[in-house]
Amino acid sequence: MSRELLVVQRARKSFQTGKTKPLEYRIHQLKNLRRFISERQGDITEAVRRDLGKSENGTQLFETLGLEGEINLALEKLSEWAAPRMVEKNLLTISDEVYVQPEPLGVVLIIGAWNYPWAITLQPLVGAIAAGNAAVIKPSEVSSHSAKVMEELLPLYLDKDLYPVVTGGVSETQELLKQRFDHIFYTGGSAVGKIVMAAASCHLTPVTLELGGKSPCYIDKNCDIRVACRRITWGKFVNCGQTCIAPDFILCEPSVQSQVVEEIQKCIKEFYTDNPETFEDYGRIINQRHFKRLMALMEGSTVAVGGASDESQCYIAPTVLKDVTGDSKVMKEEIFGPLLPIITVSGVDEAIRFINEREKPLVIYVFSQDNKLIKRVIAETSSGALLANDCLVHFTVSALPFGGVGNSGMGCYHGRYGFDQLSHLRSCLIKQLKMEGVNSMRYPPHSAKKLGWARFFMLKQVNVCRLRRMALLATMAGLAAFLVN
């Protein structure tokens, strides 16, 4: 019997005791998770530094602050999210109790990614805990130092039977995927996403796939190019470009390409100094395999900015590529590194066609002062998200669902969306054993008269809340009239 099977069995057995159902228990676990992040900030920071060369400030900004925000929101809203949700009725059920009751799914598998090893792994865990599930946590083996810290320290704060951490590589992940889960939450690339989905299908297990893709960034020639390039530079090169929602490539008209290159070059110098290699807030490529992959992607393109590299340090300078076409090597896969290609188009018409000829991206960026142009891009394209005149920041808004569409993923999370994604929204109807005369219209024989009455009662929707408001207003009006008289 494998270690992975034992872990899953233990989690399921613990879940079946019902201990996760009371909200007080979930709140206690969420507070412990928040305490873990606070008390172990030093361990987390050191692990991320060794994995990705990220600074302490960078770790707090991009890893733990968002996590704390998600936990705080869940703690504040949990009783509201978990409460029965009243729904509209029809006349046939007007006297019945009809509602949606969120309930835990069971045992969830969370497979994290290496580029943000804490935020991307533990944010889904917040939703899993809040929804009352058990969760098996599988951090990425690529970010090995973070995985080790998670394995050693997280069980000191959370219930180790309900929320075990399983480390290891491909074989351990494959063994986990053989087990039956009630939901699988995977963050990573589309190739592995297909493997996860295929494995889940054996047990009819639902999946959330947070993938990536080539997120385009269109720059309107009439916008403030300087501001646009400043925000694009930040969004592209943070975490050394290893961000699933980073702008993957720029689309702009030939007349502004030189200005775009010039402004991005200025911003790189401002953000990372003349020598990004020695700047503490500019990280490193995760390993040499990815370093070599990125260097190969530059073949056939002209380096306009940057291009320096050091394989021994897994360092690649912030780099801008020009004279790129849709057939260039760098356009064949998601870059996931500090390379920013520029492709020239004749205008927004060609930009939209270029985007729509490819897989649906995780996010589309558009920079323009023309609101009609922005709304047109929204109307004529499809993506997980669309962000106008900035980069990345939509990820910080818990009221927005975060997720992809098509090749960029399925399902979403953040805030209430994460709670709902990892809950079963159970339909409940409670009827009394009365008024059988009304119910008889449902029973055979189905005469034309009965069918007519059934059609009226079943198709007429009733907004109970509205009726209650109207009744309250009528009562108040009657009371006011009585007092006046």
Side-chain angles (χ1 to χ4, degrees), residues 95-97 430-436 439:
S95 64
D96 305 329
E97 192 176 350
I430 302 173
K431 183 179 285 289
Q432 295 182 352
L433 290 170
K434 299 177 181 179
M435 299 177 66
E436 189 63 12
N439 290 332

Side-chain angles (χ1 to χ4, degrees), residues 109-379:
L109 172 61
I110 298 171
I111 305 176
W114 54 261
N115 57 323
Y116 292 92
W118 294 92
I120 286 177
T121 307
L122 297 187
Q123 281 204 18
L125 178 62
V126 174
I129 294 173
N133 299 295
V136 177
I137 305 149
K138 172 59 180 69
S140 172
E141 72 279 6
V142 177
S143 49
S144 58
H145 299 95
S146 292
K148 188 171 186 293
V149 170
M150 202 176 293
E151 178 187 36
E152 292 177 352
L153 299 183
L154 196 58
L156 302 180
Y157 292 81
L158 297 181
D159 186 309
K160 56 188 176 184
D161 290 334
L162 283 166
Y163 312 109
V165 179
V166 176
T167 57
V170 174
S171 61
E172 287 79 8
T173 304
Q174 289 174 335
E175 188 61 35
L176 278 172
L177 289 173
K178 292 178 184 177
Q179 314 309 319
R180 184 177 71 82
F181 289 94
D182 299 291
H183 196 100
I184 298 176
F185 197 113
Y186 168 74
T187 304
S190 58
V192 177
K194 293 175 183 178
I195 295 171
V196 170
M197 193 170 184
S201 69
C202 296
H203 301 287
L204 293 180
T205 299
V207 297
T208 300
L209 302 178
E210 298 295 341
L211 309 177
K214 298 185 74 63
S215 296
C217 178
Y218 176 67
I219 304 177
D220 178 15
K221 67 178 180 179
N222 297 316
C223 78
D224 189 326
I225 301 292
R226 183 187 64 83
V227 172
C229 290
R230 184 178 176 84
R231 296 177 183 181
I232 293 167
T233 301
W234 174 77
K236 175 63 181 182
F237 298 114
V238 71
N239 200 34
C240 210
Q242 298 167 119
T243 304
C244 62
I245 51 174
D248 193 88
F249 60 93
I250 287 174
L251 297 170
C252 68
E253 293 186 33
S255 61
V256 297
Q257 180 179 213
S258 296
Q259 186 182 358
V260 168
V261 170
E262 182 182 345
E263 291 296 339
I264 291 176
Q265 186 172 27
K266 289 178 183 175
C267 292
I268 291 172
K269 182 177 180 180
E270 177 189 351
F271 294 168
Y272 303 113
T273 74
D274 286 321
N275 187 9
E277 188 172 4
T278 61
F279 189 64
E280 68 169 356
D281 277 326
Y282 186 74
R284 294 294 183 267
I285 306 304
I286 186 68
N287 56 34
Q288 290 193 336
R289 180 174 69 85
H290 281 280
F291 173 90
K292 291 175 181 177
R293 178 186 64 82
L294 288 165
M295 294 302 294
L297 289 181
M298 284 196 279
E299 295 172 4
S301 299
T302 303
V303 175
V305 178
S309 63
D310 182 347
E311 184 174 350
S312 66
Q313 298 294 319
C314 287
Y315 166 78
I316 299 177
T319 299
V320 179
L321 305 173
K322 65 178 184 178
D323 302 329
V324 177
T325 70
D327 296 323
S328 297
K329 197 170 182 181
V330 75
M331 293 300 296
K332 297 301 183 185
E333 63 181 71
E334 182 181 6
I335 295 170
F336 224 65
L339 313 179
L340 181 56
I342 300 176
I343 296 176
T344 56
V345 292
S346 59
V348 68
D349 290 345
E350 187 179 352
I352 289 173
R353 284 198 302 273
F354 190 93
I355 292 168
N356 288 339
E357 287 168 357
R358 288 156 177 80
E359 296 284 5
K360 294 180 180 181
L362 188 53
V363 57
I364 292 173
Y365 296 105
V366 53
F367 285 82
S368 177
Q369 294 168 173
D370 184 350
N371 199 49
K372 288 184 179 178
L373 185 150
I374 294 169
K375 292 297 177 65
R376 184 183 168 196
V377 176
I378 293 174

Side-chain angles (χ1 to χ4, degrees), residues 8-21:
V8 177
Q9 286 182 342
R10 189 163 60 245
R12 189 169 298 282
K13 184 178 179 181
S14 188
F15 171 78
Q16 288 172 343
T17 65
K19 66 193 299 185
T20 65
K21 288 200 170 182

